[in-house]
């Protein structure tokens, strides 16, 4: 079964109570269980991971190809704007990845407008709230389906 890894960066463990004007009231557990169900409904195995530590995220990305993941969905959170290490890990892993932000990072403070991973992402979703994770997952599914001739029907 196709495997997709969803990675959440720092402070996203606080979703549900953190800055609800920007991030809404869904908890990370609710988002993650919804993604696992959504993946199951589309015949893919979705695994989720959250860390507040840059090195743990880097290591998880490094291990992803060997663990059989075919694509990543990642919200690097604050590391979006600072982490060359996460960018380098994504490039080294060589898997297609979709960047997702719950809020529209271009409509906030200036420093959030710069992402160190956008130019190497297969796609970017932002400003849709938590449903953006599903949109990013759909993008990954579509990309992987396109790799397999004759499987275009799978997403319909
Ligand atoms: C975020 C946007 C980032 O700027 C911020 O640091 C986050 C969350 C988002 O999902 O909108 O923690 O990635």
């Amino acid at each position: 079964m196709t495997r997709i890894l969803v990675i959440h960066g720092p402070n996203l463990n606080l979703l549900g109570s953190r800055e609800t004007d920007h991030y809404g009231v869904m908890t990370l557990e609710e988002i993650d269980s919804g993604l696992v169900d959504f993946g199951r409904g589309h015949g893919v195995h979705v695994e989720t991971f959250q860390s507040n530590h840059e090195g743990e995220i880097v290591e998880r990305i490094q291990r992803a190809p060997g663990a059989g993941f075919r694509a990543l969905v990642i919200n690097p959170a604050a590391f979006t704007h600072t982490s060359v290490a996460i960018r380098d890990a994504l490039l080294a892993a060589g898997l297609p990845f979709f960047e997702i932000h719950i809020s529209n990072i271009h409509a906030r403070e200036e420093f959030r407008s710069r992402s160190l991973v956008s130019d190497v992402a297969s796609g970017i979703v932002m400003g849709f709230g938590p449903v953006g994770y599903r949109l990013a997952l759909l993008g990954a599914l579509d990309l992987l389906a396109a790799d397999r001739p004759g499987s275009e029907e799978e997403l319909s």
Side-chain angles (χ1 to χ4, degrees):
M1 191 184 269
T2 300
R3 290 161 65 79
I4 297 177
L5 178 62
V6 179
I7 298 177
H8 308 279
N11 298 307
L12 294 174
N13 54 312
L14 302 178
L15 287 178
S17 60
R18 171 195 181 204
E19 297 183 89
T20 52
D21 285 357
H22 286 303
Y23 304 121
V25 294
M26 267 183 103
T27 65
L28 188 63
E29 289 71 25
E30 289 166 343
I31 291 172
D32 282 348
S33 65
L35 289 174
V36 170
D37 288 348
F38 189 71
R40 196 178 296 125
H42 286 89
V44 296
H45 173 79
V46 173
E47 218 165 285
T48 65
F49 172 72
Q50 189 275 332
S51 177
N52 295 321
H53 304 281
E54 187 176 20
E56 283 182 6
I57 295 172
V58 166
E59 285 170 4
R60 195 64 194 242
I61 294 168
Q62 286 181 1
R63 288 201 302 272
F69 291 103
R70 301 272 319 282
L72 306 174
V73 168
I74 182 166
N75 183 348
F79 292 143
T80 306
H81 319 297
T82 62
S83 180
V84 176
I86 288 176
R87 176 192 172 89
D88 285 350
L90 289 164
L91 288 172
L95 295 173
F97 75 90
F98 287 79
E99 176 184 0
I100 183 259
H101 300 285
I102 296 168
S103 64
N104 176 358
I105 60 175
H106 297 299
R108 302 182 59 189
E109 301 97 320
E110 175 96 40
F111 69 85
R112 293 189 201 274
S113 284
R114 187 179 76 141
S115 164
L116 296 189
V117 300
S118 287
D119 64 309
V120 287
S122 294
I124 307 163
V125 177
M126 70 174 76
F128 287 85
V131 76
Y133 283 100
R134 287 188 187 206
L135 301 177
L137 197 52
L138 266 182
L141 289 172
D142 203 38
L143 185 85
L144 295 175
D147 275 356
R148 285 176 282 139
S151 60
E152 293 83 3
E153 300 303 308
E154 285 182 19
L155 288 180
S156 55

